[in-house]
């Protein structure tokens, strides 16, 4: 009897997890892409975040804000990847230092152009903006994800907004 | 552009910039990773169980061997073992030339070790300086026994006859009440400390070696109704003979008094200023097997009264493995 209950409980856990993944995966990947400006990296980080969620599902499912927890793990994972990639690109940069420069200049499409301009934002501003505009998080939720105060979130958002206005004006 | 309108514009910019996500593909990828992780976890769990089982078996085997050794060695009637060279020196300090010493080397069966090992041989060269002649060994006592060594400056009170003679400690194991066990544990910890400290305090061991480990103890009733605990003390030293090379047994009475000391020292290095009674080689050579054939009750040496004023500058027992020829 107990074994049957346990199996049912486990089954319902699996279903809840699946539903949660389906509900949030697209938005998480998109938000992380706009933080990292790298789709593959964002997808990897999102995958890791969901795996972590599965690993700690019993504990985390009762978390006050499960979505915020997921985004926090995803963003932290992005930072880890970036650190790793930074070291790697430094190495590659040193190795490629003696190569001749590319002869043809690349024409950027407008989307790529906008992403490049987005990339000029400091990471914290970019993260706050992505969570606010893309994931539709409130200031309180962003503060929880980024582990900073609400005032700091507002400050980051304000500065990001100012910079993004310039992007929009350039686009026009 | 006010804030709300700017937010709206930025939000639409973000919507344009966001990538298309293949949700099904992503979910499948997660499912694959989870399956792989689950397989890995199962494999790791099996490995862990196998490792823990192996360790447990090894631990039980080692503990079994340790307990067996302790039960075999503790409470033996043999006591201390310092075999030295002939008391050729008299008053005043003399030093023998090394060639002469080498010529006097005699193969002697080490009585203690011969009980447990395959007759390792000791060569007994020495460069010992004596300030006084050694006392004559009493004729009435069978000579080639274990020499019971007292440390004259330790106030050791040797029991005339070891309490455990003829009985293995295992015979004395008995079921005790919980209160007795608690009391015994408390006293055991204290005695263990005494046993650990004693050899170092009395210069029996070089301080350069690491702290001794007190491994196994057995309790029995001692003289005067006191409880006597025997401890095996082991020291980290270079191995010379398997099993017993670092072995010391200290018997601690209930009042924390060390009443008996048993050393199994392949190489005892006396410390200057400490007094150790020496045993003439001639006696050892005369009948090296007597300790094996005699009546076990007669194996006991009498307690030597009074101080033996011997000033040892250096002495050593060189171990030679007989298999090396």
């Amino acid at each position: 009897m107990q074994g049957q209950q346990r199996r049912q409980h486990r089954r319902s856990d699996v279903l809840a997890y699946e539903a949660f993944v389906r509900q949030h995966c697209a938005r998480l990947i998109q938000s992380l892409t706009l933080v990292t400006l790298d789709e593959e990296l964002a997808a990897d980080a999102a995958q890791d975040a969901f795996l972590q969620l599965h690993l700690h599902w019993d504990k985390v499912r009762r978390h006050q804000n499960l979505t915020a927890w997921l985004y926090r793990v995803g963003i932290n994972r992005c930072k880890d990847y970036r650190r790793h990639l930074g070291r790697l690109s430094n190495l590659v940069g040193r190795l490629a230092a003696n190569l001749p420069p590319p002869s043809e200049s690349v024409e950027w499409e407008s989307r790529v152009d906008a992403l490049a301009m987005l990339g000029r934002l400091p990471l914290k501003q970019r993260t706050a903006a992505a969570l606010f505009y893309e994931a539709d998080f409130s200031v309180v939720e962003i503060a929880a994800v980024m582990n900073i105060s609400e005032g700091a979130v507002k400050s980051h958002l304000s500065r990001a907004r100012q910079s993004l206005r310039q992007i929009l004006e350039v686009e026009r | 552009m006010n804030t709300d309108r700017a937010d709206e514009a930025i939000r639409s910019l973000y919507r344009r910039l966001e990538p298309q996500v293949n949700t099904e593909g992503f979910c499948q990828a997660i499912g694959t990773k989870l399956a792989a992780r689950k397989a890995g976890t199962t494999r790791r769990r099996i490995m862990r169980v196998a490792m823990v089982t192996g360790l447990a078996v090894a631990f039980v085997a080692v503990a079994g061997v340790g307990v067996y050794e302790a039960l075999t060695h503790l409470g033996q009637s043999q006591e201390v073992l310092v075999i030295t060279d002939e008391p050729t020196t008299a008053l005043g300090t003399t030093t023998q030339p090394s060639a002469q010493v080498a010529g006097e080397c005699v193969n002697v069966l080490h009585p203690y070790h011969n009980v447990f090992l395959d007759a390792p041989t000791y060569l007994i060269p020495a460069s010992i300086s004596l300030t006084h002649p050694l006392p004559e060994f009493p004729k009435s006592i069978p000579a080639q026994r274990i020499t019971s060594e007292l440390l004259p400056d330790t106030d050791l009170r040797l029991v005339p006859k070891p309490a455990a003679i003829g009985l293995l400690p295992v015979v004395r194991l008995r079921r005790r009440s919980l209160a007795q066990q608690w009391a015994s544990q408390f006293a055991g910890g204290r005695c263990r400390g005494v046993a650990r400290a004693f050899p170092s305090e009395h210069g029996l061991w070089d301080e350069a070696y690491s702290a001794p480990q007190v491994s196994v103890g057995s309790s029995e009733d001692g003289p005067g109704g006191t409880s006597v605990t025997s401890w095996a003390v082991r020291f980290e030293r270079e191995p010379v003979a398997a099993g017993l090379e670092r072995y010391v047994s200290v018997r601690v009475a209930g009042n924390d008094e060390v009443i008996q000391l048993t050393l199994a020292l392949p190489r005892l290095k006396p410390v200057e200023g400490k007094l150790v009674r020496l045993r003439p080689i001639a006696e050892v050579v005369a009948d090296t097997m007597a300790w094996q054939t005699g009546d076990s009750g007669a194996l006991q040496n009498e307690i030597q009264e009074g101080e033996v004023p011997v000033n040892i500058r250096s002495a050593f027992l060189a171990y030679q493995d007989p298999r090396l020829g």
Side-chain angles (χ1 to χ4, degrees):
Chain A
M1 193 67 181
Q2 272 188 345
Q4 201 174 355
Q5 277 181 347
R6 203 176 299 147
R7 272 196 299 277
Q8 276 179 355
H9 187 67
R10 203 174 294 159
R11 178 74 187 149
S12 68
D13 267 1
V14 170
L15 289 176
Y17 175 76
E18 269 182 27
F20 188 82
V21 173
R22 284 182 186 283
Q23 188 186 345
H24 289 97
C25 70
R27 188 61 77 198
L28 177 66
I29 295 171
Q30 286 160 349
S31 302
L32 293 180
T33 304
L34 292 170
V35 173
T36 59
L37 305 177
D38 184 331
E39 273 187 56
E40 281 187 22
L41 192 148
D44 284 349
Q47 204 175 60
D48 263 8
F50 281 117
L51 288 176
Q52 288 297 315
L53 180 67
H54 183 267
L55 203 64
H56 304 290
W57 179 252
D58 283 343
K59 275 188 286 183
V60 177
R61 59 182 300 189
R62 295 181 198 91
H63 199 277
Q64 212 173 10
N65 191 340
L66 190 53
T67 316
W69 184 91
L70 181 73
Y71 274 74
R72 186 169 180 172
V73 173
I75 287 170
N76 285 339
R77 204 42 59 103
C78 284
K79 286 179 189 166
D80 293 345
Y81 285 157
R82 287 190 74 83
R83 243 175 257 139
H84 177 68
L85 287 175
R87 284 197 292 271
L88 201 64
S89 67
N90 283 344
L91 176 68
V92 172
R94 282 199 299 275
L95 292 173
N98 295 326
L99 293 177
S103 53
E104 295 174 11
S105 60
V106 181
E107 288 291 329
W108 280 8
E109 294 174 10
S110 64
R111 181 174 180 273
V112 178
D113 212 5
L115 283 173
M117 291 179 80
L118 204 61
R120 286 182 206 146
L121 292 181
L123 182 63
K124 282 189 175 174
Q125 288 181 28
R126 210 161 62 223
T127 306
L131 291 173
F132 187 76
Y133 293 115
E134 179 64 27
D136 290 330
F137 276 21
S138 68
V139 172
V140 178
E141 286 171 324
I142 297 171
V145 172
M146 293 179 69
N147 200 22
I148 55 178
S149 68
E150 290 175 30
V153 172
K154 284 178 185 165
S155 163
H156 288 314
L157 276 177
S158 166
R159 285 181 199 154
R161 189 180 291 121
Q162 215 166 358
S163 306
L164 291 168
R165 268 181 185 162
Q166 289 170 6
I167 295 176
L168 289 170
E169 279 165 16
V170 168
E171 271 198 332
R172 279 177 196 149
Chain B
M1 204 187 290
N2 65 24
T3 306
D4 287 343
R5 282 184 60 193
D7 281 351
E8 205 172 317
I10 293 169
R11 194 162 278 128
S12 70
L13 170 70
Y14 268 82
R15 292 284 180 264
R16 273 192 288 128
L17 294 176
E18 70 185 20
Q20 293 299 313
V21 175
N22 177 5
T23 308
E24 283 305 316
F26 183 78
C27 290
Q28 275 180 6
I30 287 187
T32 310
K33 280 216 167 181
L34 283 175
R37 181 171 283 200
K38 193 176 178 185
T41 307
T42 310
R43 204 164 46 241
R44 275 198 298 275
R45 191 174 296 153
I46 291 170
M47 291 288 288
R48 203 179 302 139
V49 167
M51 202 169 68
V52 167
T53 310
L55 282 174
V57 168
F59 176 77
V60 167
V62 169
V65 169
V67 168
Y68 172 77
E69 273 200 8
L71 292 180
T72 312
H73 302 157
L74 292 180
Q76 289 283 341
S77 59
Q78 291 91 340
E79 287 165 8
V80 178
L81 325 150
V82 178
I83 305 175
T84 65
D85 70 342
E86 207 160 356
T88 51
T89 52
L91 285 169
T93 302
T94 58
T95 306
Q96 296 176 357
S98 58
Q100 188 186 343
V101 169
E104 289 176 359
C105 286
V106 180
N107 286 345
V108 178
L109 286 175
H110 192 298
Y112 186 90
H113 278 173
N114 199 44
V115 176
F116 306 104
L117 302 177
D118 296 333
T121 306
Y122 281 82
L123 290 176
I124 312 173
S127 56
I128 298 176
S129 302
L130 305 175
T131 52
H132 298 281
L134 291 169
E136 286 299 316
F137 203 84
K139 299 280 185 193
S140 58
I141 300 173
Q144 279 59 58
R145 305 291 180 230
I146 314 298
T147 47
S148 176
E149 294 296 336
L150 278 179
L151 297 177
D153 59 341
T154 59
D155 297 328
L156 274 184
R157 182 167 58 79
L158 278 179
V159 285
K161 186 177 176 183
I165 193 161
L167 287 174
L168 289 171
V170 70
V171 178
R172 297 180 180 276
L173 294 176
R174 58 185 183 272
R175 190 179 292 278
R176 289 179 298 179
S177 71
L178 198 61
Q180 281 175 320
Q181 285 179 22
W182 275 100
S184 166
Q185 273 189 1
F186 176 71
R190 210 179 50 219
C191 291
R192 184 193 297 257
V194 173
R196 183 185 287 119
F198 185 84
S200 299
E201 280 174 3
H202 292 89
L204 286 167
W205 292 92
D206 194 326
E207 291 294 327
Y209 297 128
S210 60
Q213 301 291 318
V214 180
S215 55
V216 184
S218 65
S219 269
E220 59 192 64
D221 296 328
T226 58
S227 171
V228 179
T229 311
S230 297
W231 294 98
V233 186
R234 288 179 188 277
F235 293 79
E236 290 298 327
R237 297 189 69 183
E238 71 281 6
V240 178
L244 297 173
E245 64 277 12
R246 295 163 289 185
Y247 175 76
V248 177
S249 166
V250 180
R251 291 165 64 80
V252 186
N255 54 355
D256 289 352
E257 184 184 18
V258 174
I259 60 168
Q260 193 179 6
L261 186 71
T262 303
L263 305 174
L265 308 177
R267 296 176 188 172
L268 179 65
K269 190 177 167 189
V271 178
E272 195 172 357
K274 299 289 179 184
L275 302 175
V276 180
R277 191 166 70 81
L278 303 178
R279 185 177 180 215
I281 272 185
E283 290 179 1
V284 178
V285 175
D287 185 1
T288 54
M289 300 300 286
W291 66 276
Q292 284 184 319
T293 56
D295 172 25
S296 63
L299 291 179
Q300 308 309 310
N301 288 330
E302 287 179 345
I303 302 169
Q304 188 165 350
E305 299 291 340
E307 188 179 79
V308 184
V310 180
N311 177 20
I312 299 170
R313 292 195 175 168
S314 66
F316 64 94
L317 297 175
Y319 172 78
Q320 186 183 52
D321 191 334
R323 288 169 298 186
L324 298 176

